[in-house]
Amino acid sequence: METDIQYAGEFFLKELKVYTSSGKVLDLTDMVQGIEIWEDIFSTSLSGNIVFLDLSNLTKNGPIIGQEHMSLKLGTPGLKDFDIDAVFNINKVNSKQSSNPNSEVISLSFVSPELMRNERTRVSKSYTDTISNIVTDVLRDKRYINSTKRLFIENTSGIRKVISPNNHPFTFLCTLATESKSISGSQNFVLFENTKGIHFKSIDSILNTDTIADYFIGDVGLNSKENPKVRDIKKDYERPINSTITQNTDLLLNTMGGMLSSKIIKYNIYNKSYETSHYNYFEDFEGNNTIDSNPVYNDNPIDVSGNSISSFSDAKIHLHPVTSNGANDIQHTNSTNSYSYAPAGTANKFLQRQSKLLELSAGISATLQINGNNTVACGETINVQFPTVGGQGEGDDVDGYYSGKFLITKLKHQFDLPNKRHIIQMTVTKDSISTKLPIDGESIEPFGGAGDKIEVTT
């Protein structure tokens, strides 16, 4: 963080203009009370709302009816390269609240223009290319998404021949995400937008990136050692305002969802055969790309047969048709067409993808509220150190289960104009732990009460 920032969370609003459907331009820069921008790694677009104080009856004179465009420019001092400079579609007037006869507090909702274009158009077209090139083409095509934002597209392997059967663009692209395979072999792709641009990446590549920040759960409000009367801005950024471990793993939910074990029956339409594949959380753990090196569950036997919680693949069963001769997509190959197209990769890694997405949406997670800056976005990784109970958050006092690298899955920017402060509320998740769970004995699940006698009558 550069030295020209005065306090943690400082920001400046350069511009907020509303372009009405009647052709008028309304400058709300000096009227805005608050701005929120929401990001989600499982959402294709940004959304948010603004609140402003209307002293000139703008909603009537504009008018503002939920059919406007909005230009927004926000910055963090010293971080010019990370300014938010974007256009949004205002899609709803949420509320109007009169504080006195001369003013109204107006709340408006907005979304990325790409989302509005997505809902207005459909793709009915066949493509023959790599999936990464197809995604880029749909996002840039003026007939579809027509986005001019920065694109972060991970290269995929294999030439595919695919058809979009009159789907909305994002529906088509999210389907391709389930079939994508990166050059490095990863198949867990997601499509999302944050304030830096639109991303089509594998979760594996995201988890492999360096962390963008370190956060230490502990005391806030530290002062500089050199001058006790001066706030230590760096420390203020590193110490969350508050934090909560919001969700631990739910064994029932993860069993039902297939995170722990599942199976898929692949029926080959071409040669009329089928193949059954199984997923076992513990057996397949080392082959998966994870944040840390240890599972979040213990593989102790839970019954007298020696089964662990990942031994029951019937918990979640899928049937998936394929048209492959092993190496090629046979439905697009015939005697006059010698070109070989890569088969869809959906079935091969479907169970592992299912488990990974459940790990990130319903696994170990925490909510952090931090002093904001524009470098922090969903889809990034951070390092968080949680202290043990009674500890100070340093050295051996760090919680070995919860501390470490986390993925930011959800994030809300809150820009408070009256107080000139940027706060970020974010949900961070991890799919593994750094400290191995102990095994001190058997953990056989009880059936019936201790010492119960079961009587069978005829």
Side-chain angles (χ1 to χ4, degrees):
M1 196 65 61
E2 297 186 21
T3 57
D4 54 354
I5 191 168
Q6 300 180 38
Y7 57 89
E10 183 183 5
F11 76 98
F12 52 86
L13 174 62
K14 292 182 179 179
E15 176 183 290
L16 198 159
K17 292 182 179 180
V18 171
Y19 300 81
T20 69
S21 58
S22 63
K24 294 182 181 179
V25 180
L26 308 176
D27 191 342
L28 306 184
T29 307
D30 296 329
M31 306 178 191
V32 179
Q33 301 295 298
I35 303 170
E36 292 183 344
I37 302 175
W38 302 317
E39 307 175 10
D40 191 329
I41 197 173
F42 300 115
S43 177
T44 58
S45 303
L46 298 177
S47 60
N49 63 55
I50 63 170
V51 176
F52 69 95
L53 184 63
D54 185 3
L55 300 174
S56 305
N57 200 19
L58 295 178
T59 54
K60 181 179 179 181
N61 297 332
I64 298 177
I65 58 176
Q67 192 186 343
E68 295 75 36
H69 297 86
M70 178 184 79
S71 64
L72 177 64
K73 296 180 181 179
L74 287 160
T76 300
L79 297 173
K80 184 178 180 181
D81 293 339
F82 294 92
D83 281 0
I84 297 174
D85 186 351
V87 174
F88 294 97
N89 279 53
I90 295 174
N91 63 296
K92 183 181 179 182
V93 180
N94 292 319
S95 63
K96 300 179 183 180
Q97 182 178 355
S98 297
S99 55
N100 59 64
N102 299 316
S103 66
E104 275 188 323
V105 177
I106 312 297
S107 173
L108 306 174
S109 289
F110 61 83
V111 296
S112 296
E114 287 82 1
L115 180 59
M116 199 68 74
R117 296 186 196 117
N118 173 73
E119 297 303 322
R120 292 169 175 163
T121 61
R122 291 182 181 269
V123 182
S124 294
K125 184 180 177 181
S126 65
Y127 291 87
T128 304
D129 208 333
T130 62
I131 287 182
S132 52
N133 286 342
I134 296 172
V135 171
T136 302
D137 182 76
V138 173
L139 292 174
R140 294 296 193 210
D141 197 315
K142 293 183 179 180
R143 296 170 296 174
Y144 307 131
I145 299 301
N146 190 28
S147 179
T148 58
K149 294 175 180 175
R150 292 185 66 189
L151 301 182
F152 300 87
I153 310 295
E154 185 176 353
N155 289 328
T156 58
S157 62
I159 302 296
R160 293 290 314 283
K161 190 174 182 67
V162 295
I163 299 173
S164 174
N166 204 37
N167 282 331
H168 289 297
F170 284 154
T171 301
F172 175 48
L173 299 186
C174 288
T175 300
L176 292 181
T178 66
E179 303 179 4
S180 299
K181 182 179 180 180
S182 70
I183 294 176
S184 62
S186 174
Q187 291 184 267
N188 298 320
F189 274 72
V190 287
L191 173 68
F192 66 96
E193 182 185 0
N194 60 24
T195 54
K196 299 179 182 180
I198 300 175
H199 303 252
F200 185 78
K201 296 178 178 179
S202 66
I203 292 175
D204 291 356
S205 69
I206 296 173
L207 297 183
N208 286 334
T209 58
D210 294 333
T211 56
I212 61 168
D214 297 320
Y215 296 98
F216 303 90
I217 309 302
D219 295 333
V220 298
L222 298 179
N223 294 329
S224 170
K225 293 181 180 179
E226 292 77 14
N227 187 348
K229 296 182 179 181
V230 177
R231 299 279 297 191
D232 190 325
I233 297 176
K234 183 175 182 297
K235 290 293 184 183
D236 279 344
Y237 272 111
E238 292 177 347
R239 304 280 178 176
I241 300 168
N242 60 59
S243 63
T244 306
I245 296 177
T246 56
Q247 185 175 354
N248 286 313
T249 49
D250 185 325
L251 183 59
L252 178 60
L253 174 64
N254 292 333
T255 300
M256 296 168 58
M259 175 187 147
L260 298 172
S261 56
S262 56
K263 72 178 178 183
I264 185 169
I265 303 170
K266 294 177 283 185
Y267 176 68
N268 195 316
I269 300 173
Y270 171 67
N271 58 24
K272 304 300 185 293
S273 63
Y274 72 90
E275 176 186 355
T276 302
S277 298
H278 301 264
Y279 179 80
N280 184 297
Y281 175 71
F282 297 116
E283 293 178 1
D284 297 328
F285 183 83
E286 291 188 4
N288 297 331
N289 185 34
T290 56
I291 291 177
D292 285 314
S293 55
N294 297 292
V296 298
Y297 283 112
N298 211 319
D299 62 351
N300 240 0
I302 61 171
D303 59 26
V304 294
S305 299
N307 293 311
S308 71
I309 57 174
S310 68
S311 300
F312 306 94
S313 59
D314 282 347
K316 189 79 172 179
I317 302 175
H318 301 274
L319 176 64
H320 192 86
V322 296
T323 55
S324 171
N325 62 0
N328 303 316
D329 185 355
I330 206 67
Q331 67 176 320
H332 298 300
T333 304
N334 54 46
S335 58
T336 60
N337 179 13
S338 60
Y339 196 90
S340 299
Y341 298 105
T346 310
N348 296 332
K349 282 287 187 176
F350 181 86
L351 302 182
Q352 190 270 343
R353 175 185 173 84
Q354 172 183 260
S355 178
K356 177 62 69 176
L357 295 183
L358 196 54
E359 285 177 326
L360 296 179
S361 62
I364 295 176
S365 64
T367 299
L368 304 181
Q369 186 181 53
I370 63 171
N371 291 300
N373 68 80
N374 290 346
T375 65
V376 183
C378 77
E380 306 276 8
T381 58
I382 60 173
N383 183 55
V384 185
Q385 298 297 316
F386 289 96
T388 56
V389 176
Q392 301 301 313
E394 298 179 0
D396 295 334
D397 294 325
V398 172
D399 189 316
Y401 295 124
Y402 291 110
S403 297
K405 191 174 185 179
F406 282 81
L407 170 66
I408 303 173
T409 55
K410 295 181 181 181
L411 184 147
K412 179 171 69 174
H413 296 274
Q414 296 174 291
F415 299 94
D416 183 347
L417 273 297
N419 294 311
K420 299 184 184 300
R421 194 176 185 194
H422 178 192
I423 299 293
I424 288 178
Q425 188 93 12
M426 60 183 174
T427 299
V428 297
T429 310
K430 64 189 314 175
D431 59 1
S432 50
I433 55 179
S434 57
T435 302
K436 186 177 177 62
L437 292 170
I439 299 178
D440 298 324
E442 293 184 341
S443 60
I444 305 300
E445 290 184 345
F447 294 93
D452 285 352
K453 295 182 179 180
I454 301 176
E455 296 182 1
V456 179
T457 60
T458 60

